[in-house]
Amino acid sequence: MFSPLAIIGPPLLATVSHGGDHAAPASGAPELPNVITLLSARLHESPVIAFLHQWENVIFAFVVAIGLSLLSRLATRRMTMVPRPLQNVFEMVVQGLDDFFAGILGPEGRRFTPFLGTLFIYIWCMNLFGLVPGMMSPTGGKNGINTTIALAVCVFLYVQYAGMKKLGIGGYVDHLMGTPRSVIQWVLVPLNLPVHIIGELAKPLSLSLRLFGNITGEDVLLAAFVGLGVACTAFLHIPFGVPLELPFIFLALLTGTIQALVFTLLSTVYFSMMVSGHEEHEGHEH
């Protein structure tokens, strides 16, 4: 039994090892080639290919977004009381995500379901996109940190906006100061305020680094075992190798889902800390 990922042939073994980047050092992390890196390896003198290779994470992120948009359009184009199979699947997914977020944030948290649900599905699809032959995970690889930071910045900005909208400008600043009510708490404001601001900025950074590190690790592991499988049959001069990476594909399916869930769950907790946490604090005081 041979895996499609292993059908890259001995001629592409060097590309697997170096990610298709001729400028990459031989000791660089292995990376499975995608359609752009293969074209770059063949036509590296072309400015268009060089541009595509430089922005490949953004391009594949757009491909995933466009694919999800088209699929959503197909599912919701003709809504009926007796749903078609695709509409039925979408309704179950949306209902499940809505119940999940409402269970953490409460009934008022349902207004965040469109953002958080889209965030989970988008990250999940991007994490698994690299398992499709010829594609790559936009959340991993040498430029994947840019994608994960962009996602985390979106979460950060929306959490701050939700906090300002819920608490007002004065309440938001009061929240950043640690909600001081006694003399001692006011004396500690010069210490609490910068610590709280640094904490708010550190949250998106930790989200992005966690997602990027785990997905990149999965990609490197798969590429290493694909290269090893191809090397095992190199002496036979056949265009495929031993599918040593097959067990790790199932592991990547699991961890890609877990990482999308962790990113979304922590984002939900940040919303809860900004909106619900303040209400609980006020409630205890009264």
Side-chain angles (χ1 to χ4, degrees), residues 101-176:
F101 296 128
I104 299 174
L105 297 171
E108 290 190 2
R110 292 187 188 279
R111 67 178 184 274
F112 300 118
T113 296
F115 174 78
L116 293 171
T118 303
L119 188 70
F120 169 74
I121 294 173
Y122 187 42
I123 294 175
W124 182 60
C125 291
M126 286 197 294
N127 290 348
L128 303 186
F129 203 48
L131 300 180
V132 179
M135 302 298 148
M136 70 170 293
S137 298
T139 49
K142 60 184 178 182
N143 294 323
I145 187 66
N146 298 327
T147 308
T148 58
I149 285 180
L151 293 168
V153 167
C154 291
V155 172
F156 170 76
L157 293 177
Y158 194 19
V159 168
Q160 306 310 313
Y161 169 75
M164 292 181 188
K165 188 176 180 180
K166 177 73 176 182
L167 307 175
I169 297 298
Y172 175 75
V173 175
D174 182 63
H175 169 78
L176 290 180

Coordinates of all heavy atoms in Angstrom, one line a residue, residues 101-176:
F101 N -20.3 27.7 22.4 CA -19.9 29.1 22.8 C -20.9 29.6 23.8 O -20.5 30.3 24.8 CB -19.8 30.0 21.6 CG -18.7 29.6 20.6 CD1 -19.0 29.4 19.3 CD2 -17.4 29.3 21.0 CE1 -18.0 29.0 18.4 CE2 -16.5 28.9 20.2 CZ -16.8 28.8 18.8
A102 N -22.2 29.4 23.7 CA -23.2 29.8 24.6 C -23.0 29.2 26.0 O -23.2 29.8 27.0 CB -24.6 29.6 24.1
G103 N -22.5 27.9 26.0 CA -22.2 27.2 27.2 C -21.1 27.9 28.0 O -21.0 27.7 29.2
I104 N -20.2 28.6 27.3 CA -19.0 29.2 28.0 C -19.4 30.7 28.3 O -19.1 31.2 29.4 CB -17.8 29.2 27.1 CG1 -17.4 27.7 26.8 CG2 -16.6 29.9 27.8 CD1 -16.3 27.5 25.9
L105 N -19.9 31.4 27.3 CA -20.2 32.8 27.5 C -21.6 33.2 28.0 O -21.8 34.3 28.3 CB -20.0 33.5 26.1 CG -18.6 33.4 25.5 CD1 -18.5 34.0 24.1 CD2 -17.6 34.2 26.4
G106 N -22.5 32.2 28.1 CA -23.8 32.5 28.4 C -24.7 32.8 27.2 O -24.1 33.0 26.1
P107 N -26.0 33.0 27.4 CA -26.9 33.4 26.3 C -26.4 34.6 25.5 O -26.6 34.6 24.3 CB -28.2 33.6 26.9 CG -28.1 32.8 28.2 CD -26.7 32.9 28.7
E108 N -25.9 35.6 26.2 CA -25.4 36.8 25.5 C -24.2 36.6 24.6 O -23.9 37.4 23.7 CB -25.1 37.9 26.5 CG -26.3 38.5 27.2 CD -26.0 39.7 28.0 OE1 -24.9 40.2 28.0 OE2 -26.9 40.3 28.7
G109 N -23.5 35.5 24.9 CA -22.4 35.2 24.1 C -22.7 34.6 22.7 O -21.8 34.5 21.9
R110 N -24.0 34.4 22.4 CA -24.3 33.9 21.1 C -24.0 34.9 20.0 O -23.8 34.5 18.9 CB -25.8 33.6 21.1 CG -26.2 32.4 21.9 CD -27.7 32.0 21.7 NE -28.1 31.0 22.6 CZ -27.9 29.7 22.5 NH1 -27.2 29.3 21.5 NH2 -28.4 28.9 23.4
R111 N -23.9 36.2 20.4 CA -23.6 37.2 19.3 C -22.1 37.1 18.8 O -21.8 37.6 17.8 CB -23.8 38.6 19.9 CG -22.9 39.1 21.0 CD -23.2 40.5 21.4 NE -22.3 41.0 22.4 CZ -22.4 40.9 23.7 NH1 -23.4 40.2 24.2 NH2 -21.5 41.4 24.5
F112 N -21.3 36.3 19.6 CA -19.9 36.1 19.2 C -19.8 34.8 18.3 O -18.7 34.5 17.9 CB -19.0 36.0 20.4 CG -19.0 37.3 21.2 CD1 -19.4 37.3 22.5 CD2 -18.5 38.5 20.6 CE1 -19.3 38.4 23.3 CE2 -18.5 39.7 21.4 CZ -18.9 39.6 22.7
T113 N -20.9 34.0 18.3 CA -20.8 32.8 17.5 C -20.3 32.9 16.1 O -19.5 32.2 15.6 CB -22.1 32.0 17.6 OG1 -22.4 31.7 18.9 CG2 -22.1 30.8 16.8
P114 N -20.9 33.9 15.3 CA -20.4 34.1 13.9 C -18.9 34.2 13.8 O -18.2 33.6 12.9 CB -21.2 35.3 13.4 CG -22.4 35.3 14.2 CD -22.0 34.9 15.6
F115 N -18.3 35.1 14.7 CA -16.9 35.3 14.6 C -16.1 34.1 15.1 O -15.2 33.6 14.4 CB -16.5 36.5 15.5 CG -15.0 36.7 15.6 CD1 -14.3 37.3 14.6 CD2 -14.3 36.4 16.8 CE1 -12.9 37.5 14.7 CE2 -13.0 36.6 16.9 CZ -12.3 37.2 15.8
L116 N -16.5 33.5 16.3 CA -15.7 32.4 16.8 C -15.9 31.1 16.0 O -14.9 30.4 15.8 CB -16.1 32.2 18.3 CG -15.8 33.3 19.3 CD1 -16.4 33.1 20.6 CD2 -14.3 33.4 19.4
G117 N -17.1 30.9 15.5 CA -17.4 29.7 14.7 C -16.6 29.8 13.4 O -16.0 28.8 13.0
T118 N -16.6 31.0 12.8 CA -15.8 31.1 11.5 C -14.3 31.0 11.8 O -13.6 30.3 11.0 CB -16.1 32.5 10.9 OG1 -17.5 32.7 10.7 CG2 -15.3 32.7 9.6
L119 N -13.9 31.5 12.9 CA -12.4 31.3 13.3 C -12.1 29.9 13.4 O -11.0 29.5 12.9 CB -12.2 32.1 14.6 CG -10.8 32.2 15.1 CD1 -10.0 33.2 14.2 CD2 -10.7 32.7 16.6
F120 N -12.9 29.1 14.1 CA -12.6 27.7 14.3 C -12.5 26.9 13.0 O -11.6 26.2 12.7 CB -13.6 27.0 15.2 CG -13.5 25.5 15.3 CD1 -12.4 24.9 16.0 CD2 -14.4 24.7 14.6 CE1 -12.3 23.5 16.0 CE2 -14.3 23.3 14.7 CZ -13.3 22.7 15.4
I121 N -13.6 27.1 12.2 CA -13.6 26.4 10.9 C -12.5 26.8 10.0 O -11.9 25.9 9.3 CB -15.0 26.6 10.2 CG1 -16.1 26.0 11.1 CG2 -15.0 26.0 8.8 CD1 -17.5 26.3 10.6
Y122 N -12.2 28.1 9.9 CA -11.1 28.6 9.1 C -9.8 28.0 9.5 O -9.0 27.5 8.6 CB -11.1 30.1 9.1 CG -10.2 30.7 8.1 CD1 -10.1 30.3 6.8 CD2 -9.4 31.8 8.5 CE1 -9.2 30.9 5.9 CE2 -8.6 32.4 7.6 CZ -8.4 32.0 6.3 OH -7.6 32.5 5.4
I123 N -9.5 28.1 10.8 CA -8.2 27.5 11.3 C -8.1 26.0 11.1 O -7.1 25.5 10.6 CB -8.0 27.9 12.7 CG1 -7.8 29.4 12.9 CG2 -6.7 27.2 13.3 CD1 -7.8 29.9 14.3
W124 N -9.2 25.3 11.3 CA -9.2 23.9 11.2 C -8.9 23.5 9.7 O -8.1 22.6 9.5 CB -10.6 23.3 11.6 CG -10.7 21.9 11.6 CD1 -10.0 20.9 12.2 CD2 -11.7 21.1 10.8 NE1 -10.4 19.7 11.9 CE2 -11.5 19.8 11.0 CE3 -12.7 21.5 9.9 CZ2 -12.2 18.8 10.4 CZ3 -13.5 20.5 9.3 CH2 -13.2 19.2 9.5
C125 N -9.6 24.2 8.8 CA -9.4 23.8 7.4 C -7.9 24.2 6.9 O -7.3 23.4 6.2 CB -10.4 24.6 6.5 SG -12.1 24.0 6.7
M126 N -7.4 25.3 7.4 CA -6.0 25.7 7.1 C -5.0 24.7 7.7 O -4.0 24.3 7.0 CB -5.7 27.1 7.6 CG -6.3 28.2 6.8 SD -5.6 29.8 7.0 CE -6.0 30.1 8.7
N127 N -5.3 24.2 8.9 CA -4.4 23.2 9.5 C -4.3 21.9 8.7 O -3.3 21.3 8.5 CB -4.8 22.9 10.9 CG -4.6 24.1 11.9 OD1 -3.9 25.0 11.6 ND2 -5.2 24.0 13.1
L128 N -5.5 21.5 8.2 CA -5.6 20.2 7.5 C -5.3 20.4 6.0 O -5.1 19.3 5.3 CB -7.0 19.6 7.7 CG -7.4 19.3 9.1 CD1 -8.7 18.6 9.1 CD2 -6.3 18.6 9.9
F129 N -5.2 21.6 5.5 CA -5.0 21.8 4.0 C -3.7 21.2 3.6 O -3.5 20.8 2.4 CB -5.1 23.3 3.7 CG -5.5 23.6 2.3 CD1 -6.5 22.9 1.7 CD2 -4.8 24.5 1.6 CE1 -6.9 23.2 0.3 CE2 -5.1 24.8 0.2 CZ -6.1 24.1 -0.4
G130 N -2.7 21.2 4.5 CA -1.4 20.7 4.1 C -1.4 19.2 3.9 O -0.4 18.7 3.3
L131 N -2.4 18.5 4.3 CA -2.5 17.1 4.1 C -3.0 16.7 2.7 O -2.9 15.6 2.3 CB -3.4 16.4 5.1 CG -3.0 16.6 6.6 CD1 -4.0 15.9 7.5 CD2 -1.6 16.1 6.8
V132 N -3.5 17.7 2.0 CA -3.9 17.5 0.6 C -2.7 17.6 -0.3 O -1.9 18.6 -0.3 CB -4.9 18.6 0.1 CG1 -5.3 18.4 -1.3 CG2 -6.1 18.6 1.0
P133 N -2.4 16.6 -1.1 CA -1.2 16.6 -2.0 C -1.1 17.8 -2.9 O -2.1 18.2 -3.5 CB -1.3 15.3 -2.8 CG -2.2 14.4 -2.0 CD -3.1 15.3 -1.3
G134 N 0.0 18.5 -2.9 CA 0.2 19.7 -3.7 C -0.2 21.0 -2.9 O 0.0 22.1 -3.5
M135 N -0.8 20.9 -1.7 CA -1.2 22.1 -1.0 C -0.2 22.2 0.2 O 0.7 21.4 0.5 CB -2.6 22.0 -0.6 CG -3.6 21.8 -1.7 SD -3.5 23.2 -2.8 CE -3.8 22.5 -4.4
M136 N -0.5 23.3 1.1 CA 0.3 23.5 2.3 C -0.6 24.1 3.3 O -1.7 24.7 3.0 CB 1.5 24.4 2.0 CG 1.1 25.8 1.7 SD 2.5 26.9 1.7 CE 3.0 26.9 3.5
S137 N -0.2 24.0 4.6 CA -1.0 24.6 5.7 C -0.5 26.0 5.8 O 0.7 26.3 6.2 CB -0.7 23.8 7.0 OG -1.1 22.5 6.9
P138 N -1.4 27.0 5.6 CA -0.9 28.4 5.7 C -0.5 28.8 7.2 O 0.1 29.8 7.4 CB -2.2 29.2 5.3 CG -3.0 28.2 4.5 CD -2.8 26.9 5.1
T139 N -1.0 28.0 8.1 CA -0.6 28.3 9.5 C 0.7 27.7 9.9 O 1.2 27.8 11.1 CB -1.7 27.7 10.5 OG1 -2.0 26.3 10.1 CG2 -3.0 28.5 10.4
G140 N 1.4 27.0 9.0 CA 2.7 26.4 9.3 C 3.7 26.8 8.3 O 3.5 27.6 7.4
G141 N 4.9 26.2 8.4 CA 6.0 26.6 7.4 C 6.8 27.8 7.8 O 6.5 28.4 8.8
K142 N 7.7 28.2 6.9 CA 8.6 29.2 7.2 C 7.9 30.6 7.4 O 8.4 31.5 8.1 CB 9.7 29.3 6.2 CG 9.2 29.6 4.8 CD 10.3 29.6 3.8 CE 9.8 29.8 2.4 NZ 10.9 29.8 1.4
N143 N 6.8 30.9 6.7 CA 6.1 32.1 6.9 C 4.7 32.0 7.6 O 3.9 32.9 7.5 CB 5.9 32.8 5.5 CG 7.2 33.1 4.8 OD1 8.1 33.6 5.5 ND2 7.3 32.9 3.5
G144 N 4.5 30.8 8.1 CA 3.2 30.6 8.8 C 2.9 31.5 10.0 O 1.8 31.7 10.3
I145 N 4.0 32.0 10.6 CA 3.8 32.8 11.8 C 3.1 34.1 11.4 O 2.4 34.7 12.2 CB 5.2 33.2 12.4 CG1 5.1 33.9 13.7 CG2 6.1 34.0 11.4 CD1 4.4 33.1 14.8
N146 N 3.2 34.6 10.2 CA 2.5 35.8 9.7 C 1.0 35.5 9.7 O 0.2 36.4 10.1 CB 3.0 36.2 8.3 CG 4.4 36.5 8.3 OD1 5.0 37.1 9.2 ND2 5.1 36.3 7.2
T147 N 0.6 34.3 9.3 CA -0.8 34.0 9.3 C -1.4 33.9 10.7 O -2.5 34.4 11.0 CB -1.0 32.6 8.5 OG1 -0.4 32.7 7.3 CG2 -2.5 32.4 8.4
T148 N -0.7 33.2 11.6 CA -1.2 33.0 12.9 C -1.2 34.3 13.7 O -2.1 34.6 14.5 CB -0.3 32.0 13.7 OG1 1.0 32.4 13.7 CG2 -0.4 30.6 13.0
I149 N -0.2 35.2 13.5 CA -0.2 36.5 14.1 C -1.4 37.3 13.6 O -2.1 38.0 14.4 CB 1.1 37.3 13.9 CG1 2.2 36.6 14.7 CG2 1.0 38.7 14.2 CD1 3.6 37.3 14.6
A150 N -1.7 37.3 12.3 CA -2.8 38.0 11.8 C -4.1 37.6 12.4 O -5.0 38.4 12.8 CB -2.9 37.8 10.2
L151 N -4.3 36.2 12.6 CA -5.5 35.7 13.2 C -5.6 36.2 14.7 O -6.6 36.6 15.2 CB -5.5 34.2 13.2 CG -5.6 33.5 11.8 CD1 -5.3 32.0 11.9 CD2 -7.0 33.7 11.3
A152 N -4.4 36.1 15.4 CA -4.4 36.5 16.8 C -4.7 38.0 16.9 O -5.4 38.5 17.9 CB -3.1 36.2 17.4
V153 N -4.2 38.9 16.0 CA -4.5 40.3 16.1 C -6.0 40.6 15.9 O -6.5 41.4 16.5 CB -3.6 41.0 15.0 CG1 -4.1 42.5 14.8 CG2 -2.2 41.0 15.4
C154 N -6.6 39.8 15.0 CA -8.1 39.9 14.8 C -8.8 39.7 16.1 O -9.7 40.4 16.5 CB -8.5 39.0 13.7 SG -8.0 39.4 12.0
V155 N -8.4 38.6 16.8 CA -9.0 38.2 18.1 C -8.8 39.4 19.1 O -9.7 39.8 19.8 CB -8.5 36.9 18.6 CG1 -9.0 36.6 20.0 CG2 -8.9 35.8 17.7
F156 N -7.5 39.8 19.2 CA -7.2 40.9 20.1 C -8.0 42.1 19.9 O -8.6 42.7 20.8 CB -5.7 41.2 20.0 CG -5.3 42.4 20.7 CD1 -5.1 42.4 22.1 CD2 -5.0 43.6 20.1 CE1 -4.7 43.5 22.8 CE2 -4.6 44.8 20.8 CZ -4.5 44.7 22.2
L157 N -8.1 42.6 18.6 CA -8.9 43.8 18.3 C -10.3 43.6 18.6 O -11.0 44.6 19.2 CB -8.6 44.2 16.9 CG -7.2 44.6 16.5 CD1 -7.1 44.9 15.0 CD2 -6.8 45.9 17.3
Y158 N -10.9 42.5 18.3 CA -12.3 42.3 18.5 C -12.6 42.2 20.0 O -13.7 42.7 20.5 CB -12.8 41.0 17.8 CG -14.3 40.9 17.7 CD1 -15.1 42.0 17.9 CD2 -14.9 39.7 17.5 CE1 -16.5 41.9 17.8 CE2 -16.3 39.5 17.4 CZ -17.1 40.6 17.5 OH -18.4 40.5 17.4
V159 N -11.7 41.5 20.8 CA -11.9 41.5 22.2 C -11.9 42.9 22.9 O -12.8 43.2 23.7 CB -10.8 40.6 22.9 CG1 -10.9 40.7 24.4 CG2 -11.1 39.1 22.5
Q160 N -11.0 43.7 22.4 CA -10.9 45.1 23.0 C -12.1 45.9 22.5 O -12.7 46.6 23.3 CB -9.6 45.8 22.5 CG -8.3 45.0 22.7 CD -8.2 44.6 24.2 OE1 -8.4 45.4 25.1 NE2 -7.8 43.3 24.4
Y161 N -12.6 45.7 21.3 CA -13.8 46.4 20.8 C -15.0 46.0 21.6 O -15.8 46.8 22.1 CB -14.0 46.1 19.3 CG -15.3 46.6 18.8 CD1 -15.6 47.9 18.6 CD2 -16.4 45.6 18.6 CE1 -16.9 48.3 18.2 CE2 -17.6 46.0 18.1 CZ -17.8 47.4 17.9 OH -19.1 47.8 17.5
A162 N -15.1 44.6 21.9 CA -16.3 44.1 22.6 C -16.2 44.7 24.1 O -17.3 45.0 24.6 CB -16.3 42.6 22.6
G163 N -15.0 44.8 24.6 CA -14.9 45.3 26.0 C -15.3 46.8 26.0 O -16.0 47.2 26.9
M164 N -14.9 47.6 25.1 CA -15.2 49.0 25.0 C -16.7 49.2 24.8 O -17.4 50.1 25.4 CB -14.5 49.7 23.9 CG -13.0 49.8 24.1 SD -12.2 50.7 22.8 CE -10.5 50.5 23.2
K165 N -17.3 48.4 24.0 CA -18.8 48.5 23.7 C -19.6 48.0 24.9 O -20.6 48.6 25.2 CB -19.1 47.6 22.5 CG -20.5 47.7 22.0 CD -20.8 46.9 20.7 CE -22.2 47.1 20.2 NZ -22.5 46.3 19.0
K166 N -19.1 47.0 25.6 CA -19.9 46.5 26.7 C -19.7 47.4 28.0 O -20.6 47.7 28.7 CB -19.4 45.1 27.1 CG -20.0 44.5 28.3 CD -21.4 44.1 28.0 CE -22.1 43.4 29.2 NZ -23.4 42.9 28.9
L167 N -18.5 47.9 28.2 CA -18.2 48.6 29.4 C -18.2 50.1 29.3 O -18.2 50.9 30.3 CB -16.8 48.2 30.0 CG -16.6 46.7 30.2 CD1 -15.1 46.4 30.5 CD2 -17.5 46.1 31.2
G168 N -18.1 50.6 28.0 CA -17.9 52.0 27.8 C -16.4 52.4 27.9 O -15.6 51.6 28.5
I169 N -16.0 53.6 27.5 CA -14.6 53.9 27.6 C -14.1 54.0 29.0 O -13.1 53.5 29.4 CB -14.4 55.3 26.9 CG1 -14.7 55.2 25.4 CG2 -12.9 55.7 27.0 CD1 -13.9 54.2 24.6
G170 N -15.0 54.6 29.9 CA -14.6 54.7 31.3 C -14.5 53.3 31.9 O -13.5 53.1 32.7
G171 N -15.4 52.5 31.7 CA -15.4 51.1 32.3 C -14.3 50.3 31.7 O -13.7 49.5 32.4
Y172 N -13.9 50.5 30.4 CA -12.8 49.8 29.8 C -11.5 50.2 30.5 O -10.7 49.3 30.8 CB -12.8 50.1 28.3 CG -11.6 49.5 27.6 CD1 -11.6 48.1 27.3 CD2 -10.6 50.3 27.2 CE1 -10.5 47.6 26.7 CE2 -9.5 49.7 26.5 CZ -9.4 48.4 26.2 OH -8.4 47.8 25.6
V173 N -11.3 51.5 30.7 CA -10.1 52.0 31.3 C -10.0 51.5 32.8 O -9.0 51.1 33.3 CB -10.0 53.5 31.3 CG1 -8.8 54.0 32.1 CG2 -9.9 54.0 29.8
D174 N -11.2 51.5 33.4 CA -11.3 51.0 34.8 C -10.9 49.5 34.9 O -10.2 49.0 35.8 CB -12.7 51.2 35.3 CG -12.9 50.7 36.7 OD1 -12.3 51.3 37.6 OD2 -13.7 49.7 36.9
H175 N -11.3 48.7 33.8 CA -11.0 47.3 33.7 C -9.5 47.1 33.6 O -8.9 46.3 34.2 CB -11.7 46.7 32.6 CG -11.3 45.3 32.2 ND1 -11.6 44.2 32.9 CD2 -10.4 44.9 31.2 CE1 -11.0 43.1 32.4 NE2 -10.3 43.5 31.4
L176 N -8.9 48.0 32.8 CA -7.4 47.9 32.6 C -6.6 48.2 33.8 O -5.6 47.7 34.1 CB -7.0 48.8 31.4 CG -7.4 48.4 30.0 CD1 -6.9 49.4 29.0 CD2 -6.9 47.0 29.7

